């Protein structure tokens, strides 16, 4: 497997360029630096083993309890029963009306599978302005309770156990999160987020997809899950890299999406 796996992918949704002499130069994420051009053809690599499958999450929980004494017994209110929270699915879309039905359901749609390595970044996100040239598969994840539309063909690719909702949240996140922060998941309340991060990391390790954070503090582990960087363009008049202000961006890490805007420095 190649070492250039990119688990965070950034997609530009709205690109406001004030000068016609500007070309997209580069963007810096928390894990790698890449040169991206609008309209660039995406190049895919190998299919990755899915760490968020129910099967792999159950294996991760078993391994975590064996490796850590603090998780050998109960670590929250009630035992965590790893069951399906979401489905990884693909929809066969035949026309614009079907595509818009899924977008109206607030689904994040992709023309490429969500469990493959991306060797070269490119355009693959689908929104209301995307023109589909022909019938094709679109990939996403949906909550277990999602009501599928009659007349739209779909296939469930895998049962998922996600430790947080997959819908696009604001990138800023919860800055008040600390070592005692808990959440509710799969009907169980009082689950420590730190435990869920350990569980996720264990699943990533078991499937060969783990990238360690700079340190093991909660803030560093949270930042690994939230993208950051700059979007700049090459000004062909001055030769400088100028920040792009007011760009609406959307990012994806496996089945988790986030959104935000660049500030006056082009930072997101």
């Amino acid at each position: 497997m190649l070492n250039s796996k990119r688990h965070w992918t950034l997609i530009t949704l709205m690109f406001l360029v004030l000068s016609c002499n500007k070309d997209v130069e580069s963007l810096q994420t928390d894990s790698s630096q890449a040169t991206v051009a609008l309209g660039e053809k995406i190049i895919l690599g190998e299919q990755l083993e899915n760490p968020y499958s129910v099967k792999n999450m159950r294996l991760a929980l078993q391994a975590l309890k064996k490796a850590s004494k603090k998780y050998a017994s109960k670590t929250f209110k009630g035992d965590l029963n790893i069951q399906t929270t979401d489905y990884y699915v693909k929809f066969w879309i035949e026309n614009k009306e079907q595509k818009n039905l899924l977008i109206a359901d607030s689904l994040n749609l992709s023309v490429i599978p969500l469990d493959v390595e991306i060797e070269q970044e490119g355009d693959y996100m689908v929104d209301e302005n995307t023109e589909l040239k022909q019938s094709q598969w679109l990939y996403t994840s949906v909550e277990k309770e999602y009501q599928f539309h009659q007349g739209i063909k779909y296939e469930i690719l895998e049962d998922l156990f996600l430790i947080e909702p997959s819908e696009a949240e604001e990138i800023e996140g919860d800055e008040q999160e600390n070592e005692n922060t808990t959440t509710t998941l799969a009907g169980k309340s009082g689950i420590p987020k730190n435990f869920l991060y350990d569980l996720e990391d264990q699943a990533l390790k078991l499937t060969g997809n783990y990238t360690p954070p700079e340190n093991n503090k909660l803030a560093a582990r949270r930042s690994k899950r939230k993208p950051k960087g700059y979007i700049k363009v090459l000004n062909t008049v001055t030769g400088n890299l100028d920040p792009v202000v007011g760009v609406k961006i959307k990012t994806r890490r496996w089945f988790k999406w986030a959104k935000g805007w660049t500030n006056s420095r082009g930072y997101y």
Side-chain angles (χ1 to χ4, degrees), residues 7-8 29-31 52 164 197-198 200-202 204-205 209-228 252-253:
H7 298 303
W8 268 118
T29 70
D30 61 328
S31 59
Y52 298 93
E164 55 186 347
Y197 291 160
D198 284 342
E200 181 183 40
D201 285 347
Q202 187 66 48
L204 290 167
K205 291 174 183 177
N209 296 297
Y210 180 70
T211 301
E214 295 180 0
N215 59 66
N216 202 40
K217 293 182 179 180
L218 188 61
R221 300 176 72 185
R222 183 177 64 235
S223 66
K224 187 183 76 169
R225 292 165 170 80
K226 296 184 182 296
K228 58 184 178 180
R252 177 180 66 84
R253 180 176 183 263

Side-chain angles (χ1 to χ4, degrees), residues 106 141 183 258:
S106 299
S141 62
T183 187

Side-chain angles (χ1 to χ4, degrees), residues 17-37:
V17 180
L18 301 181
S19 170
C20 61
N21 291 321
K22 292 182 178 180
D23 301 313
V24 176
E25 175 68 12
S26 65
L27 60 90
Q28 178 71 41
T29 70
D30 61 328
S31 59
S32 63
Q33 181 170 332
T35 299
V36 180

Side-chain angles (χ1 to χ4, degrees), residues 106-140:
S106 299
L107 298 185
N108 298 290
L109 303 172
S110 168
V111 298
I112 65 169
L114 305 182
D115 57 351
V116 296
E117 182 178 5
I118 297 177
E119 295 185 351
Q120 176 177 292
E121 301 286 358
D123 299 334
Y124 66 83
M125 199 204 73
V126 176
D127 61 20
E128 60 275 8
N129 298 316
T130 303
E131 293 291 337
L132 301 180
K133 297 181 180 180
Q134 57 185 359
S135 299
Q136 65 183 95
W137 289 107
L138 296 181
Y139 299 82
T140 188

Side-chain angles (χ1 to χ4, degrees), residues 18-184:
L18 301 181
S19 170
C20 61
N21 291 321
K22 292 182 178 180
D23 301 313
V24 176
E25 175 68 12
S26 65
L27 60 90
Q28 178 71 41
T29 70
D30 61 328
S31 59
S32 63
Q33 181 170 332
T35 299
V36 180
L38 291 180
E40 189 82 12
K41 181 179 180 180
I42 194 167
I43 298 178
L44 303 181
E46 300 177 359
Q47 182 173 0
L48 304 174
E49 186 174 357
N50 182 2
Y52 298 93
S53 69
V54 169
K55 174 185 176 181
N56 283 329
M57 276 292 182
R58 287 173 177 169
L59 292 174
L61 180 58
Q62 294 175 8
L64 194 61
K65 287 185 174 182
K66 290 181 180 179
S68 176
K69 292 183 179 180
K70 67 178 180 179
Y71 294 140
S73 59
K74 292 182 179 180
T75 58
F76 39 77
K77 297 178 181 178
D79 292 324
L80 178 62
N81 186 16
I82 294 185
Q83 301 291 338
T84 302
T85 62
D86 298 75
Y87 296 120
Y88 174 29
V89 300
K90 63 179 181 179
F91 292 94
W92 181 250
I93 301 302
E94 299 178 332
N95 52 57
K96 181 178 179 180
E97 288 70 26
Q98 290 182 341
K99 179 200 71 174
N100 289 340
L101 276 177
L102 300 183
I103 291 177
D105 291 339
S106 299
L107 298 185
N108 298 290
L109 303 172
S110 168
V111 298
I112 65 169
L114 305 182
D115 57 351
V116 296
E117 182 178 5
I118 297 177
E119 295 185 351
Q120 176 177 292
E121 301 286 358
D123 299 334
Y124 66 83
M125 199 204 73
V126 176
D127 61 20
E128 60 275 8
N129 298 316
T130 303
E131 293 291 337
L132 301 180
K133 297 181 180 180
Q134 57 185 359
S135 299
Q136 65 183 95
W137 289 107
L138 296 181
Y139 299 82
T140 188
S141 62
V142 299
E143 294 182 350
K144 183 179 179 180
E145 295 77 17
Y146 178 76
Q147 298 297 312
F148 291 93
H149 293 278
Q150 292 185 356
I152 300 181
K153 180 181 177 181
Y154 69 92
E155 180 181 340
I156 295 178
L157 302 175
E158 201 152 28
D159 290 4
L160 303 175
F161 180 83
L162 302 183
I163 68 170
E164 55 186 347
S166 61
E167 67 265 16
E169 297 178 337
E170 293 297 331
I171 287 175
E172 289 78 8
D174 183 5
E175 298 302 328
Q176 303 302 316
E177 188 174 304
N178 56 49
E179 298 290 340
N180 298 318
T181 302
T182 63
T183 187
T184 298

Side-chain angles (χ1 to χ4, degrees), residues 202-260:
Q202 187 66 48
L204 290 167
K205 291 174 183 177
L206 288 176
T207 55
N209 296 297
Y210 180 70
T211 301
E214 295 180 0
N215 59 66
N216 202 40
K217 293 182 179 180
L218 188 61
R221 300 176 72 185
R222 183 177 64 235
S223 66
K224 187 183 76 169
R225 292 165 170 80
K226 296 184 182 296
K228 58 184 178 180
Y230 294 88
I231 295 183
K232 297 183 179 182
V233 295
L234 177 65
N235 188 320
T236 57
V237 176
T238 65
N240 297 326
L241 284 175
D242 295 342
V244 181
V245 181
V247 174
K248 184 179 180 181
I249 62 171
K250 199 170 188 178
T251 62
R252 177 180 66 84
R253 180 176 183 263
W254 288 95
F255 304 97
K256 174 62 182 175
W257 300 74
K259 60 184 178 181

